[in-house]
């Protein structure tokens, strides 16, 4: 019977920690996008994980690349 004096407060403390962790996760947007990671794995290269500056650099590099290539056909030896 005396163990209840220990177990009841201990369970209330653990419950309080669980509630605090839940509200912390909600406040820090941990539940913002629940379906995104499941769909993201299907793509070869995930551009959404890159910072905006890196995405813009890759976009500009992709625009420059076709201009640098020549369409003369295979190289002649």
């Amino acid at each position: 019977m005396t163990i209840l004096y220990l177990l009841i407060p201990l369970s209330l403390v653990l419950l309080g920690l669980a509630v605090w962790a839940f509200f912390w996760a909600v406040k820090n947007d941990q539940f913002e996008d629940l379906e995104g990671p499941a769909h993201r794995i299907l793509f070869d290269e995930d551009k959404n994980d890159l910072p905006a500056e890196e995405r813009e650099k890759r976009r500009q590099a992709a625009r420059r690349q076709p201009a640098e290539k020549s369409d003369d056909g295979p190289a002649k030896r």
Side-chain angles (χ1 to χ4, degrees), residues 17-46:
L17 284 173
V19 169
W20 173 81
F22 173 74
F23 283 110
W24 174 85
V26 170
K27 181 180 177 184
N28 289 309
D29 296 328
Q30 297 296 313
F31 302 115
E32 187 68 29
D33 183 18
L34 297 177
E35 293 181 10
H39 295 288
R40 195 174 305 140
I41 197 169
L42 300 174
F43 299 107
D44 288 336
E45 184 177 320
D46 191 12

Side-chain angles (χ1 to χ4, degrees), residues 3 9-11 13 17 20 27 31 34 39 41-42 45-46 49-50 52-53 56 62 67-69 74 77:
I3 193 71
L10 184 62
S11 66
V13 168
L17 284 173
W20 173 81
K27 181 180 177 184
F31 302 115
L34 297 177
H39 295 288
I41 197 169
L42 300 174
E45 184 177 320
D46 191 12
D49 284 342
L50 296 175
E53 298 85 23
E56 187 59 34
E68 293 173 359
K69 290 182 180 178
R77 291 184 187 182

